[in-house]
């Protein structure tokens, strides 16, 4: 088929629009991860400065057993002052052994105005995330309805190569999914303490992004497949 | 197109549903046929079989004198592309393409045509249906009547002998309905065979022959 006509069908405008959408989605995605991580890092730094790794508790636990969490501790009868390795480990420890701890008291500065501001920002991020999830759902529905409608239309019009188009598109979708999951896993393996946005939300966004990409690829491929 | 004792049975895990029962019909060139019937009477199943989109469970379907059982998927695709034009209630236009590109679409398989010829023919068809100022509009920018006229133009792009229309006026108002039936009547006058499935009473004023389907069988 004549290549001039391909140029006519795959309009420059359409391509530019597709790339802008793709870039915007990716930028927003990267920005949210980076921002969230930055916020977490700031909380971490701030807490370390204030030495929020330290708590005072009354407990009969044998603290020597918990060296995975605890950097050092001092006990006078049942009253102990514990310094944890990181504030994340402190939180984990408190979560797991809360029932064995009495008169738990954190050091000063826990609810500073700075932290309140961060909490508000966190809430804002959650709101954006929820909006993103809604967009993702609509993209997923749009993607699959587009694929099925397109396949049916071209089948009716007598284009027999549409089956290969469907398989190829599905292949793109699965490949994108695999790359995204692999990327997430690598981040987790390299730095286990790295706090990503809630993994479930992230998975959702990854599926949505894959749908967008597969949809864009399909629209371009579709026109090429026909010609 | 000739159907002999056509039956279509849909099997489910629990029971069998006979969508078509012993249908024998013949469709000739230069005529407009209407197939009427209530919802679930088997109209769409019949259209799908006529359009080679579905196979009958039993019976024989002769297309241009040839038994369609001998056709493979590729043959059927070629016939759908060259010999049959389809029109649907929901238009089935590609949203990303303009009206002109949508009309051109079926002709892309015909490699004998040059691009200039394709564009020229598509423009002529759009002009014929009063869409000369809508070449570069996408389906989302067209009204329901205009979309259906684009779909009719597309169905004629490869100059097929048969036009199959499934509820072509289902989404249209009375005025557009009249226009569409008038267009289809004119197409049949040009020597083509037009088969229209509709539940609109108005079709009776335009068709040459009318068949009623009731529970999958012809209602005499």
């Amino acid at each position: 088929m004549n290549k001039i006509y391909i140029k006519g069908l795959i309009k420059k405008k359409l391509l530019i629009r597709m790339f802008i959408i793709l870039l915007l989605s990716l930028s927003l995605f990267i920005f949210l991860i980076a921002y969230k991580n930055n916020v977490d890092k700031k909380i971490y730094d701030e807490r370390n400065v204030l030495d929020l790794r330290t708590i005072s508790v009354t407990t009969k636990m044998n603290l020597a057993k918990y060296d995975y969490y605890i950097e050092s501790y001092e006990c006078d009868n049942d009253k102990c002052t514990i310094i944890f390795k990181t504030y994340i480990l402190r939180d984990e420890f408190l979560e797991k052994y809360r029932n064995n701890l009495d008169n738990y008291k954190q050091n000063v500065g826990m609810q500073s105005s700075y932290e309140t501001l961060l909490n508000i920002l966190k809430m804002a991020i959650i709101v954006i995330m929820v909006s993103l999830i809604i967009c993702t759902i609509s993209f997923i529905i749009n993607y699959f309805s587009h694929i099925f409608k397109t396949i049916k239309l071209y089948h009716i019009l007598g284009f027999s190569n549409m089956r290969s188009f469907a398989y190829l598109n599905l292949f793109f979708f699965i490949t994108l999914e695999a790359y995204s999951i692999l990327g997430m896993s690598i981040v987790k393996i390299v730095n286990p303490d790295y706090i990503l946005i809630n993994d479930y939300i992230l998975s959702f966004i990854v599926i949505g992004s894959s749908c967008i990409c597969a949809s864009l690829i399909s629209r371009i491929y579709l026109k090429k497949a026909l010609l | 197109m000739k159907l002999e004792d056509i039956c279509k049975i849909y099997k489910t895990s629990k029971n069998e549903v006979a969508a078509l029962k012993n249908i024998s019909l013949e469709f000739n060139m230069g005529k407009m046929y209407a197939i009427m019937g209530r919802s679930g009477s088997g109209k769409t199943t019949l259209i799908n079989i006529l359009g080679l989109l579905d196979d009958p469970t039993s019976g024989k379907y002769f297309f241009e004198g040839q038994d369609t059982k001998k056709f493979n998927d590729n043959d059927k695709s070629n016939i759908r592309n060259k010999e049959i034009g389809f029109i649907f209630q929901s238009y089935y236009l590609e949203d990303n393409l303009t009206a002109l590109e949508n009309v051109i679409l079926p002709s892309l398989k015909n490699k004998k045509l040059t691009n200039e010829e394709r564009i020229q023919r598509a423009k002529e068809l759009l002009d014929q249906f009063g869409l000369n100022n809508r070449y570069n509009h996408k389906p989302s920018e067209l009204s329901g009547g205009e979309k259906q006229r684009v779909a009719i133009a597309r169905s004629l792009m490869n100059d097929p002998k048969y036009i199959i229309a499934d509820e072509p006026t289902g989404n249209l108002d009375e005025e557009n309905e009249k226009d569409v039936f008038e267009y289809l009547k004119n197409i049949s006058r040009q020597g083509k065979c037009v088969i229209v499935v509709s539940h609109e009473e108005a079709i009776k004023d335009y068709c040459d022959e009318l068949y009623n389907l009731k529970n999958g069988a012809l209602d005499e």
Side-chain angles (χ1 to χ4, degrees):
Chain A
M1 193 55 59
N2 200 318
K3 284 183 180 174
I4 298 165
Y5 196 71
I6 301 174
K7 281 180 187 171
L9 273 181
I10 305 171
K11 291 267 173 67
K12 273 182 191 170
K13 258 189 191 176
L14 182 73
L15 277 175
I16 291 166
R17 222 182 291 167
M18 281 176 177
F19 278 114
I20 288 172
I21 293 168
L22 186 68
L23 282 176
L24 280 176
S25 321
L26 283 174
S27 315
L28 184 66
F29 182 54
I30 291 163
F31 167 77
L32 284 170
I33 290 177
Y35 187 73
K36 175 72 171 61
N37 196 44
N38 194 32
V39 167
D40 284 332
K41 195 173 177 299
K42 273 184 182 171
I43 293 171
Y44 180 81
D45 291 347
E46 187 75 5
R47 284 182 175 183
N48 274 344
V49 169
L50 294 168
D51 203 12
L52 287 175
R53 293 177 296 150
T54 308
I55 62 165
S56 299
V57 288
T58 309
T59 182
K60 286 178 181 175
M61 290 169 78
N62 178 12
L63 294 171
K65 278 167 66 181
Y66 302 98
D67 59 341
Y68 171 73
Y69 300 97
I70 297 167
E71 193 173 284
S72 64
Y73 66 94
E74 271 179 34
C75 289
D76 182 13
N77 292 329
D78 290 343
K79 203 171 181 184
C80 298
T81 303
I82 309 166
I83 301 170
F84 291 90
K85 286 177 181 170
T86 68
Y87 90 96
I88 298 165
L89 290 171
R90 182 208 66 184
D91 285 350
E92 274 182 35
F93 184 84
L94 290 174
E95 188 70 33
K96 279 187 182 174
Y97 307 106
R98 193 175 289 279
N99 293 338
N100 300 323
L101 305 170
D102 294 319
N103 302 320
Y104 155 66
K105 203 172 122 192
Q106 277 182 243
N107 275 356
V108 288
M110 181 64 186
Q111 285 299 322
S112 66
S113 57
Y114 172 72
E115 196 158 339
T116 311
L117 181 69
L118 288 181
N119 283 335
I120 293 166
L121 283 174
K122 270 184 173 180
M123 284 303 291
I125 290 174
I126 289 167
V127 170
I128 295 168
M129 286 297 160
V130 171
S131 320
L132 259 177
I133 288 172
I134 293 166
C135 290
T136 305
I137 293 168
S138 86
F139 269 123
I140 292 168
I141 294 167
N142 185 279
Y143 168 69
F144 283 104
S145 70
H146 164 75
I147 293 296
F148 291 124
K149 188 186 157 193
T150 310
I151 289 171
K152 195 172 176 187
L153 168 67
Y154 288 94
H155 174 66
I156 290 166
L157 292 181
F159 290 93
S160 49
N161 54 351
M162 279 304 110
R163 199 169 289 162
S164 61
F165 157 72
Y167 285 132
L168 193 72
N169 197 263
L170 211 60
F171 168 75
F172 274 128
F173 180 72
I174 292 165
T175 311
L176 286 163
E177 282 292 297
Y179 272 125
S180 311
I181 291 164
L182 190 72
M184 272 168 66
S185 309
I186 288 170
V187 169
K188 281 278 181 190
I189 291 164
V190 170
N191 185 359
D193 286 341
Y194 192 92
I195 303 166
L196 285 170
I197 307 161
N198 184 310
D199 286 351
Y200 295 111
I201 297 174
L202 189 65
S203 314
F204 223 100
I205 294 166
V206 164
I207 294 168
S209 312
S210 306
C211 274
I212 298 167
C213 294
S215 180
L216 297 176
I217 292 164
S218 81
R219 280 159 209 244
I220 296 169
Y221 171 75
L222 178 69
K223 289 169 184 176
K224 285 194 172 176
L226 289 169
L227 304 170
Chain B
M1 284 177 172
K2 193 178 176 187
L3 302 173
E4 282 181 7
D5 267 337
I6 292 287
C7 293
K8 180 71 187 179
I9 295 166
Y10 290 108
K11 287 179 186 172
T12 61
S13 55
K14 287 181 182 173
N15 53 4
E16 290 184 348
V17 179
L20 292 176
K21 299 169 193 164
N22 303 103
I23 302 284
S24 293
L25 286 172
E26 195 168 345
F27 300 97
N28 296 309
M29 307 305 289
K31 281 189 171 182
M32 180 163 162
Y33 297 88
I35 299 170
M36 297 187 78
R38 294 171 70 175
S39 181
S41 60
K43 302 188 300 283
T44 302
T45 308
L46 180 61
I47 282 282
N48 285 343
I49 289 171
L50 286 170
L52 297 170
L53 293 165
D54 203 353
D55 296 317
T57 311
S58 65
K60 285 188 173 180
Y61 171 26
F62 294 96
F63 186 90
E64 303 267 291
Q66 285 179 288
D67 191 344
T68 55
K69 274 182 188 162
K70 290 174 188 165
F71 296 155
N72 59 27
D73 281 349
N74 209 27
D75 295 332
K76 287 177 188 173
S77 286
N78 284 333
I79 290 173
R80 276 200 305 276
N81 183 259
K82 288 175 189 163
E83 307 290 354
I84 306 172
F86 290 92
I87 302 163
F88 294 95
Q89 179 178 354
S90 51
Y91 321 118
Y92 265 120
L93 298 175
E94 173 63 68
D95 296 332
N96 301 311
L97 303 181
T98 63
L100 188 71
E101 288 164 349
N102 263 294
V103 175
I104 288 169
L105 209 53
S107 70
L108 292 175
K109 209 175 173 183
N110 182 357
K111 294 179 181 177
K112 287 177 190 166
L113 286 174
T114 64
N115 291 326
E116 287 71 26
E117 283 169 335
R118 281 194 193 97
I119 292 165
Q120 182 62 32
R121 169 134 180 91
K123 281 183 176 175
E124 278 170 16
L125 285 166
L126 286 171
D127 292 351
Q128 203 178 313
F129 295 108
L131 294 165
N132 51 327
N133 54 348
R134 292 281 188 270
Y135 292 161
N136 297 315
H137 286 66
K138 290 196 174 168
S140 58
E141 298 158 358
L142 301 172
S143 69
E146 287 173 329
K147 280 183 204 172
Q148 197 56 294
R149 280 184 275 160
V150 173
I152 296 172
R154 184 184 61 190
S155 74
L156 294 169
M157 184 63 192
N158 285 344
D159 198 18
K161 290 177 184 164
Y162 301 90
I163 300 290
I164 293 177
D166 189 1
E167 299 280 4
T169 59
N171 286 340
L172 304 179
D173 58 31
E174 211 172 308
E175 203 173 319
N176 276 305
E177 178 188 291
K178 266 186 176 181
D179 287 345
V180 167
F181 285 147
E182 198 62 54
Y183 288 133
L184 292 173
K185 183 70 191 166
N186 285 335
I187 291 168
S188 74
R189 282 190 190 123
Q190 289 163 19
K192 296 184 191 302
C193 173
V194 178
I195 303 164
V196 186
V197 160
S198 179
H199 62 264
E200 307 289 347
E201 289 293 315
I203 187 78
K204 289 177 181 172
D205 301 333
Y206 298 90
C207 68
D208 299 302
E209 284 187 41
L210 174 73
Y211 297 113
N212 260 312
L213 274 179
K214 198 175 178 183
N215 296 324
L218 279 174
D219 192 18
E220 298 297 337

